[in-house]
Amino acid sequence: VFPLYQAAAGDGRDERLVMPVDDVRVAAVADTWGGPRSGGRRHEGQDIFAPAGTPIRSATDGYLWRIGERVLGGLTVTVVGGGGVRYYYAHLSAYADVREGQAVTTDTILGYVGNTGNARTTPPHLHLGMYVSADPEDPCGWDAIDPLPYLRDR
């Protein structure tokens, strides 16, 4: 299924992403990229703090690839954008009325800010991850890219 979404989204990677959390400006995002995490991990994304229940919109046009609960991310949504880049939205409090396979735009609400998964003891926020494959033999690889330099105010 992923190759179909990748083909439909097109070859060109997005050069800019629209701030996915309503009423948050890019300047308000503290850079959490690469910060230490449990188990010797490094933070592969940006945490965007906002009140619980704040709408989260897609940062790019694309296709909704996965909706599901994960151990670390809690309630998550993954969107495939141009060039096969995966955008991972984690710690949602709830999903919006979306379904896997749906085309999304920057106006599409994916879910709402929360603190599910391993964020249950933290203030509500969106974890935004951005992933590509560095291996041409494995288009589904998960090599992290810092999304902050791509974010623009909504």
mmCIF file with all atom_site columns, all heavy atoms in Angstrom, residues 1-6 65:
data_model
loop_
_atom_site.group_PDB
_atom_site.id
_atom_site.type_symbol
_atom_site.label_atom_id
_atom_site.label_alt_id
_atom_site.label_comp_id
_atom_site.label_asym_id
_atom_site.label_entity_id
_atom_site.label_seq_id
_atom_site.pdbx_PDB_ins_code
_atom_site.Cartn_x
_atom_site.Cartn_y
_atom_site.Cartn_z
_atom_site.occupancy
_atom_site.B_iso_or_equiv
_atom_site.pdbx_formal_charge
_atom_site.auth_seq_id
_atom_site.auth_comp_id
_atom_site.auth_asym_id
_atom_site.auth_atom_id
_atom_site.pdbx_PDB_model_num
ATOM 1  N N   . VAL A 1 1  ? 0.822  -1.203 0.000  1.00 0.00 ? 1  VAL A N   1
ATOM 2  C CA  . VAL A 1 1  ? 0.000  0.000  0.000  1.00 0.00 ? 1  VAL A CA  1
ATOM 3  C C   . VAL A 1 1  ? 0.865  1.267  0.000  1.00 0.00 ? 1  VAL A C   1
ATOM 4  O O   . VAL A 1 1  ? 0.546  2.217  -0.671 1.00 0.00 ? 1  VAL A O   1
ATOM 5  C CB  . VAL A 1 1  ? -0.960 -0.004 1.209  1.00 0.00 ? 1  VAL A CB  1
ATOM 6  C CG1 . VAL A 1 1  ? -1.675 1.317  1.360  1.00 0.00 ? 1  VAL A CG1 1
ATOM 7  C CG2 . VAL A 1 1  ? -1.954 -1.122 1.103  1.00 0.00 ? 1  VAL A CG2 1
ATOM 8  N N   . PHE A 1 2  ? 1.981  1.253  0.766  1.00 0.00 ? 2  PHE A N   1
ATOM 9  C CA  . PHE A 1 2  ? 2.828  2.446  0.822  1.00 0.00 ? 2  PHE A CA  1
ATOM 10 C C   . PHE A 1 2  ? 3.274  2.914  -0.560 1.00 0.00 ? 2  PHE A C   1
ATOM 11 O O   . PHE A 1 2  ? 3.179  4.108  -0.856 1.00 0.00 ? 2  PHE A O   1
ATOM 12 C CB  . PHE A 1 2  ? 4.036  2.222  1.736  1.00 0.00 ? 2  PHE A CB  1
ATOM 13 C CG  . PHE A 1 2  ? 5.019  3.354  1.700  1.00 0.00 ? 2  PHE A CG  1
ATOM 14 C CD1 . PHE A 1 2  ? 4.731  4.550  2.338  1.00 0.00 ? 2  PHE A CD1 1
ATOM 15 C CD2 . PHE A 1 2  ? 6.210  3.251  1.002  1.00 0.00 ? 2  PHE A CD2 1
ATOM 16 C CE1 . PHE A 1 2  ? 5.614  5.611  2.280  1.00 0.00 ? 2  PHE A CE1 1
ATOM 17 C CE2 . PHE A 1 2  ? 7.103  4.296  0.944  1.00 0.00 ? 2  PHE A CE2 1
ATOM 18 C CZ  . PHE A 1 2  ? 6.802  5.484  1.592  1.00 0.00 ? 2  PHE A CZ  1
ATOM 19 N N   . PRO A 1 3  ? 3.744  2.006  -1.439 1.00 0.00 ? 3  PRO A N   1
ATOM 20 C CA  . PRO A 1 3  ? 4.174  2.478  -2.774 1.00 0.00 ? 3  PRO A CA  1
ATOM 21 C C   . PRO A 1 3  ? 3.054  3.177  -3.548 1.00 0.00 ? 3  PRO A C   1
ATOM 22 O O   . PRO A 1 3  ? 3.324  4.101  -4.320 1.00 0.00 ? 3  PRO A O   1
ATOM 23 C CB  . PRO A 1 3  ? 4.628  1.199  -3.481 1.00 0.00 ? 3  PRO A CB  1
ATOM 24 C CG  . PRO A 1 3  ? 5.000  0.269  -2.385 1.00 0.00 ? 3  PRO A CG  1
ATOM 25 C CD  . PRO A 1 3  ? 4.044  0.588  -1.263 1.00 0.00 ? 3  PRO A CD  1
ATOM 26 N N   . LEU A 1 4  ? 1.829  2.778  -3.338 1.00 0.00 ? 4  LEU A N   1
ATOM 27 C CA  . LEU A 1 4  ? 0.703  3.440  -4.011 1.00 0.00 ? 4  LEU A CA  1
ATOM 28 C C   . LEU A 1 4  ? 0.540  4.870  -3.515 1.00 0.00 ? 4  LEU A C   1
ATOM 29 O O   . LEU A 1 4  ? 0.326  5.787  -4.301 1.00 0.00 ? 4  LEU A O   1
ATOM 30 C CB  . LEU A 1 4  ? -0.591 2.651  -3.804 1.00 0.00 ? 4  LEU A CB  1
ATOM 31 C CG  . LEU A 1 4  ? -0.623 1.243  -4.387 1.00 0.00 ? 4  LEU A CG  1
ATOM 32 C CD1 . LEU A 1 4  ? -1.923 0.541  -4.004 1.00 0.00 ? 4  LEU A CD1 1
ATOM 33 C CD2 . LEU A 1 4  ? -0.455 1.284  -5.889 1.00 0.00 ? 4  LEU A CD2 1
ATOM 34 N N   . TYR A 1 5  ? 0.619  5.049  -2.206 1.00 0.00 ? 5  TYR A N   1
ATOM 35 C CA  . TYR A 1 5  ? 0.506  6.399  -1.648 1.00 0.00 ? 5  TYR A CA  1
ATOM 36 C C   . TYR A 1 5  ? 1.685  7.256  -2.087 1.00 0.00 ? 5  TYR A C   1
ATOM 37 O O   . TYR A 1 5  ? 1.537  8.428  -2.403 1.00 0.00 ? 5  TYR A O   1
ATOM 38 C CB  . TYR A 1 5  ? 0.435  6.370  -0.123 1.00 0.00 ? 5  TYR A CB  1
ATOM 39 C CG  . TYR A 1 5  ? -0.780 5.687  0.430  1.00 0.00 ? 5  TYR A CG  1
ATOM 40 C CD1 . TYR A 1 5  ? -0.735 5.018  1.627  1.00 0.00 ? 5  TYR A CD1 1
ATOM 41 C CD2 . TYR A 1 5  ? -1.993 5.709  -0.248 1.00 0.00 ? 5  TYR A CD2 1
ATOM 42 C CE1 . TYR A 1 5  ? -1.850 4.385  2.150  1.00 0.00 ? 5  TYR A CE1 1
ATOM 43 C CE2 . TYR A 1 5  ? -3.113 5.071  0.255  1.00 0.00 ? 5  TYR A CE2 1
ATOM 44 C CZ  . TYR A 1 5  ? -3.030 4.412  1.460  1.00 0.00 ? 5  TYR A CZ  1
ATOM 45 O OH  . TYR A 1 5  ? -4.136 3.801  1.979  1.00 0.00 ? 5  TYR A OH  1
ATOM 46 N N   . GLN A 1 6  ? 2.879  6.646  -2.092 1.00 0.00 ? 6  GLN A N   1
ATOM 47 C CA  . GLN A 1 6  ? 4.079  7.364  -2.510 1.00 0.00 ? 6  GLN A CA  1
ATOM 48 C C   . GLN A 1 6  ? 3.937  7.840  -3.954 1.00 0.00 ? 6  GLN A C   1
ATOM 49 O O   . GLN A 1 6  ? 4.235  8.996  -4.270 1.00 0.00 ? 6  GLN A O   1
ATOM 50 C CB  . GLN A 1 6  ? 5.292  6.456  -2.353 1.00 0.00 ? 6  GLN A CB  1
ATOM 51 C CG  . GLN A 1 6  ? 6.596  7.122  -2.684 1.00 0.00 ? 6  GLN A CG  1
ATOM 52 C CD  . GLN A 1 6  ? 7.778  6.190  -2.496 1.00 0.00 ? 6  GLN A CD  1
ATOM 53 O OE1 . GLN A 1 6  ? 7.626  4.983  -2.366 1.00 0.00 ? 6  GLN A OE1 1
ATOM 54 N NE2 . GLN A 1 6  ? 8.965  6.759  -2.487 1.00 0.00 ? 6  GLN A NE2 1
ATOM 55 N N   . TRP A 1 65 ? -1.734 7.265  5.668  1.00 0.00 ? 65 TRP A N   1
ATOM 56 C CA  . TRP A 1 65 ? -1.252 5.902  5.518  1.00 0.00 ? 65 TRP A CA  1
ATOM 57 C C   . TRP A 1 65 ? -1.634 5.025  6.698  1.00 0.00 ? 65 TRP A C   1
ATOM 58 O O   . TRP A 1 65 ? -2.120 3.915  6.534  1.00 0.00 ? 65 TRP A O   1
ATOM 59 C CB  . TRP A 1 65 ? 0.259  5.926  5.332  1.00 0.00 ? 65 TRP A CB  1
ATOM 60 C CG  . TRP A 1 65 ? 0.919  4.597  5.151  1.00 0.00 ? 65 TRP A CG  1
ATOM 61 C CD1 . TRP A 1 65 ? 0.393  3.484  4.566  1.00 0.00 ? 65 TRP A CD1 1
ATOM 62 C CD2 . TRP A 1 65 ? 2.239  4.242  5.541  1.00 0.00 ? 65 TRP A CD2 1
ATOM 63 N NE1 . TRP A 1 65 ? 1.311  2.467  4.559  1.00 0.00 ? 65 TRP A NE1 1
ATOM 64 C CE2 . TRP A 1 65 ? 2.461  2.914  5.155  1.00 0.00 ? 65 TRP A CE2 1
ATOM 65 C CE3 . TRP A 1 65 ? 3.275  4.939  6.164  1.00 0.00 ? 65 TRP A CE3 1
ATOM 66 C CZ2 . TRP A 1 65 ? 3.661  2.255  5.382  1.00 0.00 ? 65 TRP A CZ2 1
ATOM 67 C CZ3 . TRP A 1 65 ? 4.471  4.282  6.373  1.00 0.00 ? 65 TRP A CZ3 1
ATOM 68 C CH2 . TRP A 1 65 ? 4.654  2.961  5.987  1.00 0.00 ? 65 TRP A CH2 1
#
